Amino acid sequence: QVQLVESGGGLVQPGGSLRLSCAASGSIFSVDDMGWYRQLPGKQRELVASITSRGSTNYVDSVKGRFTISRDIAENTMTLEMNSLKPEDTAVYYCHADVIDSRWYKRDAFWGRGTKVTVSS
């Protein structure tokens, strides 16, 4: 079984910074693409940032220049550094990963349970 666990969410003031982390564990052979999604209150879940196993990154326009996604291939972890946070960033942030399992070498997608980020004064 594969698990993704997010951490680092919390309350921060506008203009502040926060770092989210995601750790993948379990029967993992390798982790392919990973990404951070968020679901704003009353809105649909959206992709915030993604990163491939080669290190290529993509960001939604609203966070470009403020957020940075990174990963540690050896540790199967991923980080989202969030700077200059705005109230509009308030959401539940979810970790997503495409994983090749170590038993059958099959590719499956997994989600974390989410971590809440609140940006408010």
Side-chain angles (χ1 to χ4, degrees):
Q1 184 66 29
V2 174
Q3 293 180 317
L4 302 180
V5 180
E6 304 97 335
S7 62
L11 175 64
V12 63
Q13 294 185 342
S17 299
L18 208 60
R19 189 195 312 273
L20 305 183
S21 296
C22 173
S25 62
S27 302
I28 298 172
F29 175 75
S30 64
V31 179
D32 197 1
D33 295 350
M34 302 184 77
W36 287 99
Y37 289 73
R38 69 184 181 187
Q39 187 162 17
L40 280 66
K43 297 187 177 181
Q44 295 181 317
R45 188 176 301 185
E46 66 174 354
L47 177 64
V48 178
S50 63
I51 183 167
T52 71
S53 60
R54 295 179 180 271
S56 298
T57 60
N58 283 293
Y59 300 89
V60 68
D61 287 343
S62 61
V63 308
K64 287 181 178 178
R66 300 189 298 122
F67 291 10
T68 302
I69 188 171
S70 61
R71 68 188 293 174
D72 187 321
I73 297 294
E75 298 296 327
N76 293 328
T77 58
M78 176 179 64
T79 299
L80 184 67
E81 179 70 34
M82 304 184 294
N83 300 311
S84 301
L85 283 162
K86 306 174 180 179
E88 302 93 287
D89 296 317
T90 295
V92 177
Y93 285 72
Y94 297 89
C95 175
H96 182 271
D98 292 322
V99 178
I100 308 298
D101 75 272
S102 61
R103 178 66 178 88
W104 298 105
Y105 302 101
K106 291 185 62 178
R107 181 189 181 97
D108 288 301
F110 294 89
W111 290 92
R113 293 185 177 182
T115 185
K116 175 69 174 179
V117 171
T118 302
V119 184
S120 176
S121 60

